Amino acid sequence: MTKAPLEIRNRDARRLWLHAQGLSATPTGTLDLPGLIRGLGFVQLDSIRVVSRAHHHILWSRNQNYREPMLDKLMRKDRGIFEHFTHDASVIPMEFYPNWRRQFRRLEAKVRGWDWHRGMLDETGRNDIVDRIREEGPLSTKAFDTKIKGPREMWRRPPHKLALDYMWYAGELSTSHRENFTKFYDLTDRVIPGHHREDEPPEQEQVDWLCRQALDRLAFGSEGDIQRFWDAADLAEVKDWAGQQTGLVPVRIEGADGKWVSALAPADIETRLKTAPAPTSRLRILNPFDPVIRDRARLQRLFGFDYRIEIFVPAAKRRWGYYVYPLLEGDRMVGRVEVKADRAAGTLSVERLWPEPGVAWTSARDARLEAELARFARLAGVDSVVRNKHLKLDLPSR
């Protein structure tokens, strides 16, 4: 007789997910930065700096002893992480490199098919770039001066930039470091330790590793969730992998709306259910690119939280604002806040605040936000928090 799927109630699902993503514990204590990144699997990079760039904010949310220079040291000096493309540019633990080799081949093939990359330098031009980097050391795109030919559409890039990107996607070049978010490219054999470059598991072992590691960090998920985690395997590959596994546990997950969906879970899911702690009651300001926020469908399903980032939405059409931060309290998304840092003035300004429907914005809850804003200001390196004069301290429920 086939065993019925294990049913996981919504609050338990949220508890499992937040614990798997490092957001259950109070974000204090000794910081193990390599371990923190290893636990997440990767950390997405983003150039926008409203308060602190996404990668710094994501790490700080899990341990508030983190400060911005630490990530550069881990990459540039310690070589504890490398940079490549998951669903976006990300930093990844260096020990994962052998199981990332297939991603270089996948992305090289994709880039060759992109129309907008056909203007890159030919093999001779690319070899010239490699020769310069070999002789001069890590270089950024600013070291080259090829020009765009033809119409200057917004999406077009100079031939050298396309060539650098192509060789980076293909693993021929690697990110040495970044300066003010500008990427410096170096020869891969000067960035990646030799024992990692020489180790390449068979293709199917890499797919198995990617799927298992994704599901471990999800705690539960559909085949689509597993595929989207790294975006380093195709959905057909994930489905084939899932169909061959005997240790996976079929589960049914209750959503915030009371509806149930089928998913898969690791073999130890029942132990996780018993041991995963309840999330801290501390109110947390999360980044729009945080792993818990990034998959909007999963966020909506588990928390009933409808969120989108509106940086590419014309100002007149924005529902919330340019860069609005979700607020997590315990296992609930209780609101969102628009905050900006002015480093020259030394201030963190709170522009607007929206509680979620049904959330009473009490003085106690506002005090928890105030405490988190003060901590957030320290990450940004500013001294004071200033509230917009039109922002009420006690906002009513919507």
Side-chain angles (χ1 to χ4, degrees), residues 372-393:
E372 181 75 346
L373 287 166
R375 293 186 286 262
F376 203 24
R378 287 195 287 275
L379 174 66
V382 299
D383 302 320
S384 60
V385 176
V386 178
R387 292 203 182 211
N388 185 307
K389 63 182 180 179
H390 300 298
L391 185 71
K392 297 180 181 178
L393 292 178

Side-chain angles (χ1 to χ4, degrees), residues 70-191:
M70 296 177 181
L71 193 64
D72 179 67
K73 177 180 180 297
L74 187 61
M75 172 177 277
R76 187 197 301 237
K77 295 183 178 180
D78 301 341
R79 295 302 187 203
I81 50 177
F82 70 97
E83 182 182 324
H84 207 247
F85 209 84
T86 56
H87 63 285
D88 211 320
S90 302
V91 291
I92 305 167
M94 187 65 77
E95 61 264 39
F96 292 2
Y97 189 88
N99 284 299
W100 205 254
R101 301 293 292 274
R102 72 187 306 270
Q103 181 72 333
F104 297 129
R105 294 190 294 273
R106 291 176 76 247
L107 291 179
E108 179 182 12
K110 283 187 177 181
V111 172
R112 282 190 177 277
W114 291 345
D115 287 341
W116 62 281
H117 249 76
R118 291 177 183 168
M120 71 177 175
L121 297 176
D122 60 14
E123 185 174 358
T124 299
R126 296 198 299 273
N127 287 338
D128 289 343
I129 287 178
V130 171
D131 288 342
R132 278 196 59 189
I133 291 174
R134 181 178 291 110
E135 294 172 7
E136 300 175 37
L139 297 175
S140 75
T141 59
K142 297 176 183 178
F144 305 92
D145 61 359
T146 62
K147 307 298 182 184
I148 297 172
K149 296 180 181 179
R152 297 182 63 86
E153 290 96 341
M154 181 178 67
W155 54 268
R156 297 194 68 188
R157 299 290 182 268
H160 70 267
K161 170 61 175 168
L162 298 176
L164 285 165
D165 279 348
Y166 170 74
M167 290 187 283
W168 180 82
Y169 280 120
E172 297 174 33
L173 297 178
S174 295
T175 305
S176 166
H177 62 284
R178 285 179 179 262
E179 294 180 8
N180 295 321
F181 207 70
T182 297
K183 183 191 298 185
F184 281 74
Y185 301 83
D186 201 353
L187 305 181
T188 290
D189 61 11
R190 296 202 298 221
V191 174

